[in-house]
Amino acid sequence: MDGYKKIIKSQKARMAILKALSFIPDKAMIKLQYWIKLKRHLNLENPQRYTEKLQWYKLFYRNPVMTTCVDKNKVRDYIIKQGLSEILPIRYQTVKRPEEIKLEELPDSFIIKTANGSGTNIVCNDKSKISWLQTLAKLKEYMDRPQISAGREWAYNDVENSIIVEELLKDPENPYGGINDYKFICFAGNVYCVVVDVGRFTDHGRNFYTTDWQRINAVSDHRNFEPDIQKPKNLEKMLEIAAKLSKPFPHVRVDLYNINGRIYFGEMTFYPWSGYVQYTPDSFDFDLGENFILMRYSDKYERT
């Protein structure tokens, strides 16, 4: 799936190439990418697979609230409006330019994010050891990148870029290292399954679970891990949060963290893995797709 990344290792170079190809219409580009990555033709006329329906979603569903929800800064307003401010990590600063960050006012550890970026987070575990000049240079590079979605994901098109400095979430007792990522795949307010990612920066593993925590026999682009992770004690609360946040949309993946029994918001993703993942068994792609009811945006959906 990521063979082209091995050939063109620089993300900056890949984004420059994508910008040069921006003249290609979205529909044609998405069909091309789908064929390159999944080695099959994309059916947009009568999509049945989850991966196919995600491509349709990119092209034809236009709920303006989606742009708010993919903005790492503005999504906080959406969360607060849903009455869920308690799940938000602490936000220390929001700025337009890297040089506006006030390092002296930050705690010893923090994470820096760009509002519309992917793979643009900078983690600081110890402020006394960070090279601030290098950090500013990296942030400037992130901010100067062409504003184009690699997978032609509509919701990201009009996100105004900014920089957010937030609380760095830690779980020192996690046996996998880092923090576990709970991803709730939702359809119009109904949670279908939970994807759990562990060891994302060491030996990335991924399992799929039903909402009553039965392991689903499915593999995506990362290995399954053993042993199974225990069902979170507050899983019902997590399911309730994911259902509430996802209710206005035909589909969204709601990402949450759960550290020592406390739930934190991660992000909302409308096009998980850009719809370019091969599932094993292949039938799982159809199982997900069966629950994804396609419709064009209309005013019957809340402009939350």
Side-chain angles (χ1 to χ4, degrees):
M1 177 179 138
D2 291 328
Y4 72 98
K5 291 184 179 179
K6 295 178 181 177
I7 298 171
I8 307 171
K9 297 184 183 297
S10 167
Q11 188 179 43
K12 186 177 180 180
R14 293 197 301 269
M15 295 306 292
I17 292 170
L18 286 169
K19 185 177 181 180
L21 296 175
S22 60
F23 69 92
I24 300 176
D26 288 347
K27 187 175 182 179
M29 189 64 168
I30 285 172
K31 282 188 172 184
L32 176 62
Q33 288 179 332
Y34 192 85
W35 183 84
I36 289 173
K37 297 186 179 190
L38 294 177
K39 302 298 186 289
R40 57 176 177 257
H41 293 289
L42 172 60
N43 180 358
L44 287 174
E45 287 66 40
N46 185 29
Q48 300 297 313
R49 296 173 176 270
Y50 177 60
T51 52
E52 291 175 331
K53 290 186 175 184
L54 284 171
Q55 310 313 318
W56 188 99
Y57 205 39
K58 294 177 188 178
L59 291 166
F60 303 116
Y61 189 75
R62 297 288 186 266
N63 184 337
V65 181
M66 294 166 74
T67 297
T68 296
C69 290
V70 300
D71 183 321
K72 293 182 177 67
N73 189 33
K74 293 182 179 179
V75 69
R76 297 176 67 94
D77 295 331
Y78 177 79
I79 302 298
I80 292 169
K81 195 169 184 179
Q82 301 303 312
L84 294 168
S85 58
E86 72 277 3
I87 68 172
L88 290 171
I90 299 169
R91 179 173 58 184
Y92 300 123
Q93 296 178 23
T94 302
V95 299
K96 294 291 185 182
R97 298 187 300 276
E99 60 271 19
E100 294 175 352
I101 298 174
K102 297 176 181 177
L103 181 62
E104 68 279 3
E105 296 181 5
L106 295 174
D108 290 337
S109 64
F110 51 85
I111 184 169
I112 307 175
K113 306 175 180 180
T114 59
N116 66 347
S118 175
T120 58
N121 293 348
I122 298 176
V123 173
C124 175
N125 286 294
D126 186 344
K127 186 170 69 170
S128 68
K129 297 179 180 178
I130 193 172
S131 171
W132 192 238
L133 288 178
Q134 289 182 9
T135 300
L136 290 176
K138 188 178 291 186
L139 281 171
K140 187 176 186 307
E141 178 199 331
Y142 291 161
M143 297 293 283
D144 289 343
R145 283 180 181 175
Q147 299 301 305
I148 182 170
S149 168
R152 301 297 178 93
E153 299 170 347
W154 170 82
Y156 294 89
N157 287 348
D158 297 319
V159 176
E160 181 182 359
N161 212 357
S162 61
I163 298 169
I164 307 102
V165 188
E166 282 186 349
E167 171 186 9
L168 178 62
L169 303 179
K170 298 179 180 181
D171 185 2
E173 297 182 2
N174 189 328
Y176 299 101
I179 54 177
N180 297 339
D181 198 347
Y182 297 85
K183 305 173 185 291
F184 296 78
I185 294 182
C186 306
F187 301 101
N190 296 304
V191 182
Y192 178 73
C193 67
V194 188
V195 187
V196 182
D197 280 17
V198 302
R200 290 187 60 191
F201 303 108
T202 52
D203 186 15
H204 194 163
R206 175 177 292 156
N207 286 353
F208 295 80
Y209 296 91
T210 63
T211 55
D212 58 357
W213 217 251
Q214 299 300 308
R215 175 86 163 269
I216 297 172
N217 178 29
V219 183
S220 61
D221 53 337
H222 293 283
R223 65 174 183 86
N224 286 149
F225 62 85
E226 300 288 351
D228 276 322
I229 198 166
Q230 290 187 347
K231 174 184 173 180
K233 293 181 179 179
N234 53 357
L235 176 63
E236 290 304 317
K237 181 62 176 177
M238 298 174 80
L239 291 169
E240 179 185 319
I241 290 169
K244 188 171 187 177
L245 294 177
S246 67
K247 188 175 181 180
F249 312 105
H251 168 60
V252 66
R253 194 191 76 201
V254 178
D255 295 1
L256 302 173
Y257 302 109
N258 196 333
I259 304 173
N260 295 323
R262 181 172 176 184
I263 301 167
Y264 293 89
F265 174 75
E267 65 178 355
M268 294 174 69
T269 303
F270 293 94
Y271 320 105
W273 310 293
S274 204
Y276 295 138
V277 168
Q278 178 62 56
Y279 295 98
T280 303
D282 189 51
S283 59
F284 189 57
D285 199 4
F286 290 94
D287 292 341
L288 289 167
E290 186 177 356
N291 288 272
F292 192 166
I293 307 303
L294 296 177
M295 58 193 73
R296 295 179 188 270
Y297 177 72
S298 70
D299 285 333
K300 77 173 184 176
Y301 285 96
E302 300 174 20
R303 294 180 179 268
T304 310

